[in-house]
Structures are given as C-alpha cells and as structure tokens.
Amino acid sequence: MTHRHVVVVGAGPAGLAAAEAALSAGARVTLIDASDRPGGQYHRMLPEAYDAARPEVLHHGWRAFDRRRRRVLTRPRCAWWSDTSVWALERPDPERPGPPRVHVLHGPVDGGGRRRLTLDPDALVLAVGAHDRVLPFPGWELPGVFTAGAAQALAKGERVVVGDRVVVAGTGPFLLPVAASLLEAGSRVLEVLEANTRGTVARGWSRRPWQLAAQAGKSGELAEYAALLIRHRVPCRTGRTVIEARGDGRVEEVVTARLRADWSAVPGSERTVAVDAVCVTHGFSPQLELPVAAGCALRTSPGGEFVEVDADQATSVPGVYSAGEITGIAGAPAARAEGALAGWLAAGGDPRASALRPLRRGRDQGRAFAARLARAHPIGAAWSGWLRPETVICRCEEADYASLCRAATRPESASARVAKLETRAGLGPCQARICGPTVAELNTRLSGAPVEPPAEGLPAPVPHRRPIAQPIRLGELAAPSEPAADGSAPRHL
Amino acid sequence: MSPRRVRAGSDAVGRQDRPLRITVDGEPVDGIAGQTIAGVLLADDRLAWRRGRSGAPRGVFCGIGVCFDCLVTVGEERDVRACRRRALDGDVVTTQSRQDAEPAPGTEER
C-alpha cells in the first residue's frame, strides 16, 4: 500500500486504465473528466437520461469497458470528479521538482457559478486525448461540414445523425467507424474517401506485417467496419478527397478530386456530389495545453508533436506521467496498456512487477502500430493546392489564405508572432486549436523561415501554450478556491 | 432532409425518451432529456445558429468542445459550448453573432 494521491486527468481508455492500476498499487485516486460520464471519445456513453437498454450495440469492447468503469468508480479510494475541467496547471516554483498544482472547475459546461477547487497530487497522469485535425478547403466553414469526430459523437453519444446524404472523407482508419456509425443510425453514406493512394496505404501498413498481427484486436475491429460498408454497398475509394464544399448558407454539394501520392489534385478528375452533410478528418491533434503547462517536453514525429515519455510513461517532469493519444496516435488497446503502466508507476508500484511485462509489450506494439499508421496515412505536402486566396484558414477570425500569404512573405511580418497579430489567425475563441498546426505549416512554407528567435523580453512562442486551458468566467476566477487537501477532498463531484 | 434524431421506436439501443422544451430566440424547440443544446437544435433541423465576424452562419463543427463554433447564450451566460452543455427543460437559449462585436465577445474573460 502506497497511499500516494494520484490525480488522473481524462477518463477515456487510457485514464480509466491508469486509475484502475493506481488503485491496485494502493494509491488514492482522483479521476477527473470534463464529461458527465466516463469513456472518453472512444467509449462515449449515451446520456444517463436515455435509459438505454442495449448501449453495447454502439460499442466495441463494451463489456470490458463497462466492467472496468464500475470497478474503478465504486472503489472507496477513488474520487470520481465528473463535469470537471482542469483550467490551469500551476507550477508555483518551477525549480521545485514534482507535479504541478491542479486547478479545476466543477459544474455545468461553461456555466457561471462553478465550484473552483485545487489539488496538490503526489503524482499526475495526463490522459486527455486528441481531436480531429481537419485541413482547410474552400467552403469548409459552411454549416453541414462536420469533423468526423462530431458525426461520431452525435450518432454514438445522443443518437443524432448529421444528414441523409453524407460523404466521409480524409485519411486514416477512423473514416471507417464514422461511416459505420452513420449507417447504423440510418444515414445514407454515399462514399468513403481515403485521400492517400492505394500504394501509400499498402506500403505503410504491410511493412513488417508481424507488428500488425500483434494488434489483432484493432484489425479485427476495422475488418468489421469494412464488412458493414460492403454490406451497405458503400464505395470506399483511395486517392480521392473532398477539395471543396459549396452551398448557399449550408453545404449542398461537394467537389471531389483524384489525388496523386503528394495530394495534388489531378486536373479534370473533379466530380460534384449532392450532399446534405460531409464529415472530414485528416488525422488527430493531441490536446497538448495541459502537458505544456506542466512543463513536459514534447517530441516531433512524422505524425506531429506529442508528449515525450520514457519506457515507464514518465514525462520530463518528475511525478508527471502521460498515456494515450497525447503520446502518439495508436488507438484504444495501446492507450489502455500505456494508462495501466502510467497509473501503476505513478502510484509508486514496483517497476519490476511481473504484471507489467505484458503491458510494456502491449505499449511497444502500440507504438509500432502508431508508426505504421503515420506512414500509411500521412498528410500529402501538396494539399495546399486546394486553397484559393479567399479560403478561410482560421475559422474563428475568418483569416483567409491571401492574408496569410501577404503576412508571411513580407519581411516585417514574417515572424509567426507578428503574422498572428496582423492576420488574427489563431487568436479567436478556439485559441488556435483548430488552425494552429495548419497556420504554422503554411507560415513556414511561405516565409521559408522555420525557426524563430524569441523576441526580446518575451518567452519563445510555443504553439500549445494556453495558460488558461479552459474558459473560466471572471466571477469564478475572483471567487476563492477550495483546497481539496488530504481528507477534505470531496469523494465524488 | 437534414440532421435528425434516430426514432426511439426503431433505435437499437432501446432508449426511453423524456421530452423537454427549450426556447431559442423566443421560439419553443422540443428535445429529449440528455441531449446537448446542439443536439436539440440539430434534431430540430437547425444547422446553424451563430454568425461569425463576416456574418457567415455557423453551427456544429468539431462536436466535442474544441472549435467554439457552436457558442450560444444560455439564460444570462454568454459563450456556452452548445455541443457540450446538456439541455435542461426551460433553458432560454439566445443565439450569438460576432458581427460588429469588437473585441470578440468573451475573449476578455479567457
């Protein structure tokens, strides 16, 4: 029994596994999630009020998940803080090693009178997940253009389908479950378009096939979705994507085009398809503001930036562990293995325990799977050929491609910071969560100056620095926070 | 046709609907308990309810609280993410616009 206090942020596959392992190692656990139910995006549960008799029909691995969530949430040493957002991680003394202080708000989403609490854990596990990355294209800001994740969340989480004639497009295996969800809910899926060519996908996946066998659970799941699409006669095409959405006030049609391996559109291959919704994903962006606020080092991989972890899922900050999609996009089985390792070790469990061996193996297989995924479904460099001068790049501020080009190619505004102030790209309510990686990529390409020295008197610009990680109202900020110290911490919120 | 809710009678999950009613800019809109405000609006065939800086219509984009496209006012509270806030019977929802609003609404609070 270790009696350490471990705070786990995120109750998806990784966070739930972390909480369970930390409890097994004897720790006291506070499990925090912004949602009112555990599961994260992968196991997004129906609302309790739906009183669903057969929730399992919408889930892969429902029974194991259901057992685990009951086991974890009913343990006396586990405090389950649902409807709780972490709005800041504070390092009162950056020189002092150890996890940061955790500031949370509990109450209705974006509500005005939420309870403000702080936690000072012995160890912190960050398992906050990822969201869709969507590249801009003309018309992507029209109502009726959804991220694939939105369509999935609405269908799975509240039984709302986004349309009746839907095209699902982008890249990655996530296209399949999204199309399957739409079909299950009664939509007509006109086609599923994988932007990468058959050659890119085949080369990426089939290199070292034995690694794939290790992820048999994942490939079996994907095979089921593929079979469903065949049953519904949904055409799945590779090397084609949506390059434009059109309509008067809402999407009415999309233009698709054949793509070369670098994602340049083949002239003359355009087709127009009448739709009432289109669902798009070009991979996932890990939610990095909390790891960055905690001071965790990041690593850059072909798939983007992720939290750097060692063989024990420990980040560069002592006492801070990380698991799931923020360490690499590898799917739920890998997230569960990483979470269990992180939770056990964060709780001070024996690193030589024999139960860790299969977890480490699962984690390593997950990392190999992630590398293959990134190779099979890269973003082609020529995607920006779809853009027109008037194409919106930053949805919040409606900054267009022409303004970005102007700012990036003028020497006085070529630095990312100045370009941002001039175009306002990335300064809107979403705080660059959607356009950030795109603007950084375009700016680098257009100005030809990737590395930028910090301006005098200012910290170096870090794209994921959002000191206020979630919106907090002034009234809430002004209210005193309740310290949730040992013993006085509310069991469940 | 457009967004809609799967009919309870044919829904494989076997759910029990408890109706609720909210108002949107004064108009009554019916939904069911457990839905988000965005879900209620979509199922009522409303695809867009907010206006951006140029006046362009916006509704749900990311659906999981990341993009802030779907912001609404609930009672006196501005800038509530409709895709994440569960609707409560009697909620008074007002739509928002960023047109002619400088500085951007809510940004001083973030």
Side-chain angles (χ1 to χ4, degrees):
Chain A
M1 288 292 145
T2 64
H3 304 297
R4 296 180 78 174
H5 179 207
V6 177
V7 167
V8 179
V9 185
L16 212 51
E20 185 176 41
L23 288 163
S24 309
R28 193 162 61 79
V29 170
T30 304
L31 177 60
I32 298 174
D33 198 281
S35 179
D36 51 0
R37 306 203 82 182
Q41 300 307 331
Y42 185 77
H43 281 303
R44 178 180 275 260
M45 296 176 74
L46 287 165
E48 208 152 13
Y50 276 28
D51 202 10
R54 294 175 297 279
E56 67 275 9
V57 299
L58 302 179
H59 288 263
H60 239 270
W62 168 263
R63 282 184 53 181
F65 160 70
D66 196 39
R67 274 201 304 269
R68 173 169 275 165
R69 75 165 173 112
R70 286 174 200 280
R71 220 159 41 217
V72 170
L73 303 190
T74 55
R75 285 284 279 273
R77 271 184 287 111
C78 180
W80 162 230
W81 290 13
S82 65
D83 302 286
T84 302
S85 350
V86 177
W87 66 271
L89 293 178
E90 178 195 10
R91 289 183 291 164
D93 177 6
E95 301 303 311
R96 219 186 95 241
R101 172 170 291 175
V102 181
H103 291 269
V104 307
L105 286 166
H106 168 75
V109 173
D110 299 331
R114 291 170 292 181
R115 249 176 109 180
R116 185 145 93 76
L117 298 110
T118 56
L119 290 158
D120 282 301
D122 297 312
L124 178 65
V125 179
L126 296 172
V128 293
H131 57 81
D132 288 280
R133 170 149 191 219
V134 177
L135 298 173
F137 52 88
W140 75 309
E141 73 282 14
L142 282 173
V145 179
F146 297 88
T147 70
Q152 173 85 328
L154 286 161
K156 215 166 146 174
E158 52 182 301
R159 309 305 283 145
V160 168
V161 287
V162 292
D164 281 313
R165 291 177 54 84
V166 187
V167 168
V168 179
T171 187
F174 187 49
L175 296 169
L176 300 180
V178 171
S181 281
L182 289 166
L183 289 170
E184 187 280 333
S187 280
R188 198 166 152 221
V189 178
L190 302 177
E191 51 187 353
V192 176
L193 304 178
E194 162 62 55
N196 281 295
T197 62
R198 192 179 297 264
T200 305
V201 175
R203 272 193 303 278
W205 282 114
S206 65
R207 204 182 293 169
R208 304 194 193 91
W210 60 90
Q211 289 175 348
L212 195 60
Q215 290 283 320
K218 200 78 212 165
S219 39
E221 179 185 343
L222 294 175
E224 268 177 51
Y225 299 136
L228 183 77
L229 297 189
I230 291 166
R231 246 192 345 271
H232 284 266
R233 298 171 191 276
V234 177
C236 296
R237 300 180 222 280
T238 51
R240 181 169 278 276
T241 202
V242 169
I243 57 163
E244 184 179 359
R246 295 176 183 158
D248 182 11
R250 59 167 296 169
V251 64
E252 288 161 350
E253 60 183 33
V254 291
V255 179
T256 74
R258 193 146 58 77
L259 298 186
R260 303 188 188 93
D262 67 353
W263 289 24
S264 54
V266 176
S269 69
E270 295 87 353
R271 276 187 220 153
T272 304
V273 186
V275 298
D276 59 7
V278 54
C279 306
V280 194
T281 180
H282 298 106
F284 291 96
S285 296
Q287 314 212 86
L288 294 175
E289 54 272 344
L290 292 182
V292 165
C296 302
L298 304 180
R299 69 180 172 92
T300 305
S301 80
E305 270 187 307
F306 297 97
V307 178
E308 184 165 42
V309 286
D310 68 9
D312 288 343
Q313 299 303 127
T315 69
S316 61
V317 179
V320 180
Y321 295 76
S322 178
E325 307 290 62
I326 56 172
T327 72
I329 305 302
R336 281 192 289 266
E338 288 188 10
L341 267 173
W344 177 266
L345 297 165
D350 182 358
R352 292 154 306 171
S354 61
L356 298 195
R357 247 175 273 139
L359 293 177
R360 290 186 196 277
R361 203 161 48 234
R363 188 265 321 274
D364 294 344
Q365 286 162 353
R367 285 187 184 168
F369 180 80
R372 292 162 66 99
L373 188 63
R375 269 199 304 270
H377 302 279
I379 289 175
W383 68 268
S384 55
W386 316 334
L387 302 176
R388 301 206 190 110
E390 68 279 13
T391 304
V392 168
I393 304 294
C394 165
R395 300 173 62 90
C396 294
E397 298 303 301
E398 296 177 296
D400 62 21
Y401 186 45
S403 73
L404 248 74
C405 292
R406 268 198 310 275
T409 47
R410 277 214 320 265
E412 62 274 24
S413 60
S415 91
R417 197 188 297 272
V418 179
K420 200 155 130 182
L421 291 173
E422 192 168 300
T423 63
R424 294 196 56 82
L427 291 179
C430 96
Q431 296 279 286
R433 284 177 174 89
I434 301 294
C435 73
T438 299
V439 171
E441 184 186 336
L442 290 175
N443 206 47
T444 301
R445 241 195 261 174
L446 291 164
S447 66
V451 191
E452 174 185 350
E456 206 176 328
L458 291 170
V462 176
H464 313 287
R465 191 187 296 279
R466 297 181 190 100
I468 308 285
Q470 285 291 316
I472 177 169
R473 292 179 192 272
L474 287 175
E476 293 170 326
L477 199 56
S481 99
E482 308 166 42
D486 249 33
S488 70
R491 167 81 204 287
H492 293 308
L493 285 180
Chain B
M1 272 299 289
S2 273
R4 63 191 154 72
R5 196 168 53 236
V6 178
R7 283 195 306 115
S10 58
D11 194 338
V13 304
R15 57 171 218 261
Q16 305 295 320
D17 287 0
R18 288 190 287 121
L20 59 74
R21 176 170 286 182
I22 63 173
T23 63
V24 179
D25 295 335
E27 267 182 60
V29 179
D30 292 323
I32 60 171
Q35 279 193 289
T36 61
I37 289 172
V40 171
L41 294 179
L42 285 169
D44 189 54
D45 199 10
R46 294 166 191 246
L47 208 53
W49 47 83
R50 183 169 162 268
R51 292 199 175 268
R53 286 163 66 99
S54 68
R58 293 293 175 88
V60 169
F61 177 62
C62 82
I64 59 169
V66 178
C67 77
F68 294 75
D69 257 12
C70 67
L71 298 180
V72 293
T73 299
V74 182
E76 300 292 307
E77 293 168 1
R78 283 190 66 87
D79 301 340
V80 174
R81 284 169 281 179
C83 70
R84 290 205 39 226
R85 171 74 79 93
R86 302 256 186 236
L88 294 178
D89 193 41
D91 271 348
V92 177
V93 175
T94 318
T95 57
Q96 296 185 185
S97 173
R98 281 190 76 192
Q99 245 178 321
D100 313 317
E102 284 298 338
T107 47
E108 76 278 9
E109 292 194 12
R110 295 209 169 93

